[in-house]
């Protein structure tokens, strides 16, 4: 092993996206945290996009999954993300949504704390109780990490999942339990493989109020998110407002540096 082993080199970061989000959600990612993890990050989508391919150095994978928000389509994408990861030699798989900001240096620090030779399922739950389902007329409860907050799996674990959910079989699992992709992943890991989720509260989805994340703890957080629906839910950062930066992600939280304001024009258009 090289002495100055760059841990980030060991990570494969997947961003789940869809054709109609390419121009609305990806520019802010590409201008910010993607720049710190260009070699590690890949966009998993459902349409061919020459421009996206060009600005990401070819880091776009067309999963050929359908471009809908259906459970099957999302399980299809997640299963391609996991299958492609196994084709790499990377030690860690980290999934995020296209409305996540990844604090790259913090992610690096997190993964240094765990050995990828072990089975690790790192993420944040968004339900107060474990999920209870009825499978084969048996009650089962399990936890799952919210996909929209981002989660990481060690290679050892993804290898164990492969016979059960690899090669597209995650879709069948989703069909069987009738639940979304992130829940299906939790079902495979916690229920079928009996490996427990390690809760990491620094992953964040827009299911939580983003404004509750304290400013002085920003640099310890692993991910952020936003939603701009009727009731906007965004990280509370000084200096930007709704008009100049609707997502509040152009602020490079990890280094407390402002990304140039010229970026902001791109976000809006
Ligand atoms: N997504 C997708 N296909 C769709 C709709 C959404 O792959 O047809 C992806 C989207 O790019 C995002 C994730 O699924 O990464 C969650 O979508 P969104 O944030 O729009 O909805 P949420 O489930 O968070 O309310
Ligand atoms: Mn979302």
């Amino acid at each position: 092993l090289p002495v100055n082993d760059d841990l980030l080199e060991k990570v494969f970061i997947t961003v789940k996206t869809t054709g109609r989000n390419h121009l609305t959600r990806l520019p802010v990612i590409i201008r910010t945290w993607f720049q710190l993890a260009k070699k590690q990050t890949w966009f998993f989508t459902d349409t061919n996009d020459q421009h996206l391919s060009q600005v990401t150095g070819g880091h776009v994978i067309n999963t050929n999954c359908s471009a809908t928000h259906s459970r099957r389509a999302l399980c299809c994408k997640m299963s391609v993300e996991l299958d492609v990861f196994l084709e790499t030699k990377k030690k860690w798989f980290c999934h995020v949504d296209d409305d996540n900001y990844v604090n790259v240096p913090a992610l690096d620090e997190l993964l240094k704390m765990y050995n990828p030779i072990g089975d690790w399922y790192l993420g944040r739950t968004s339900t107060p109780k474990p999920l209870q389902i009825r499978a084969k007329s048996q009650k089962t409860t399990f936890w799952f990490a919210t996909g929209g907050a981002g989660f990481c799996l060690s290679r050892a674990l993804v290898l164990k999942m492969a016979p059960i959910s690899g090669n597209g079989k995650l879709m069948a699992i989703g069909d069987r339990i009738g639940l979304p992709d992130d829940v299906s992943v939790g079902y495979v890991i916690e229920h079928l493989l009996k490996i427990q989720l390690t809760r990491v509260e620094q992953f964040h989805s827009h299911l939580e109020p983003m404004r509750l994340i304290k400013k002085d703890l920003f640099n310890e957080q692993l991910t952020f998110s936003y939603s701009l629906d009727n009731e906007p839910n965004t990280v509370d950062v000084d200096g930007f407002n709704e008009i100049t930066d609707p997502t509040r992600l152009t602020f490079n939280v990890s280094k407390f540096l402002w990304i140039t304001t010229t970026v902001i024009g791109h976000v809006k258009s």
Side-chain angles (χ1 to χ4, degrees):
L1 280 172
V3 187
N4 231 339
D5 201 13
D6 181 1
L7 269 150
L8 246 197
E9 290 298 307
K10 299 181 176 175
V11 190
F12 186 70
I13 304 173
T14 64
V15 181
K16 177 170 71 182
T17 189
T18 184
R20 74 182 161 296
N21 288 357
H22 289 185
L23 288 175
T24 52
R25 294 190 182 185
L26 300 188
V28 66
I29 291 179
I30 291 162
R31 293 298 192 105
T32 58
W33 66 265
F34 176 73
Q35 295 302 323
L36 299 174
K38 272 189 218 178
K39 282 194 284 189
Q40 295 81 7
T41 307
W42 294 77
F43 295 89
F44 285 73
T45 191
D46 41 37
T47 35
N48 292 320
D49 183 337
Q50 276 300 318
H51 173 74
L52 180 62
S53 184
Q54 198 222 317
V55 295
T56 59
H59 279 214
V60 184
I61 290 170
N62 183 352
T63 58
N64 290 314
C65 299
S66 86
T68 62
H69 206 167
S70 71
R71 183 172 49 71
R72 290 209 109 227
L74 298 182
C75 277
C76 173
K77 252 176 216 165
M78 180 69 76
S79 96
V80 178
E81 291 174 41
L82 288 162
D83 289 344
V84 173
F85 163 71
L86 284 181
E87 289 167 21
T88 71
K89 293 200 162 55
K90 302 282 183 163
K91 300 276 188 264
W92 289 99
F93 166 87
C94 295
H95 157 96
V96 294
D97 276 0
D98 60 7
D99 49 8
N100 282 130
Y101 180 97
V102 178
N103 185 355
V104 173
L107 184 65
D108 190 21
E109 290 298 317
L110 172 84
L111 298 180
K112 276 183 192 162
M113 291 164 47
Y114 301 91
N115 188 340
I117 305 250
D119 301 321
W120 292 109
Y121 178 25
L122 309 173
R124 182 184 172 114
T125 61
S126 56
T127 53
K129 283 185 188 170
L131 205 74
Q132 191 176 77
I133 62 160
R134 223 166 238 290
K136 293 183 189 143
S137 77
Q138 287 242 315
K139 251 200 251 164
T140 40
T141 59
F142 61 94
W143 288 104
F144 69 95
T146 304
F151 63 85
C152 298
L153 308 175
S154 61
R155 183 169 196 90
L157 177 53
V158 181
L159 282 168
K160 281 190 183 162
M161 293 165 71
I164 304 169
S165 56
N167 241 315
K169 291 199 286 282
L170 191 68
M171 284 174 84
I173 304 266
D175 286 344
R176 195 198 318 163
I177 62 171
L179 291 163
D181 53 345
D182 51 356
V183 185
S184 300
V185 167
Y187 177 80
V188 171
I189 300 173
E190 280 228 337
H191 177 65
L192 299 178
L193 292 173
K194 308 289 179 217
I195 293 156
Q196 280 186 1
L197 171 71
T198 299
R199 287 159 170 254
V200 182
E201 305 296 331
Q202 289 82 4
F203 286 104
H204 299 285
S205 78
H206 56 69
L207 294 171
E208 347 152 23
M210 286 294 114
R211 67 188 154 71
L212 295 187
I213 305 173
K214 298 212 168 58
K215 288 192 186 78
D216 54 340
L217 297 179
F218 276 175
N219 55 355
E220 293 169 22
Q221 308 311 309
L222 295 162
T223 58
F224 299 93
S225 188
Y226 62 88
S227 82
L228 303 174
D229 302 337
N230 350 328
E231 192 88 343
N233 179 9
T234 53
V235 178
D236 183 16
V237 282
D238 298 326
F240 276 135
N241 61 39
E242 281 72 17
I243 295 151
T244 55
D245 180 16
T247 65
R248 230 54 57 77
L249 291 186
T250 40
F251 180 64
N252 183 338
V253 190
S254 59
K255 289 184 175 166
F256 293 95
L257 285 176
W258 301 101
I259 299 292
T260 96
T261 44
T262 51
V263 173
I264 294 153
H266 282 253
V267 180
K268 278 251 105 174
S269 57

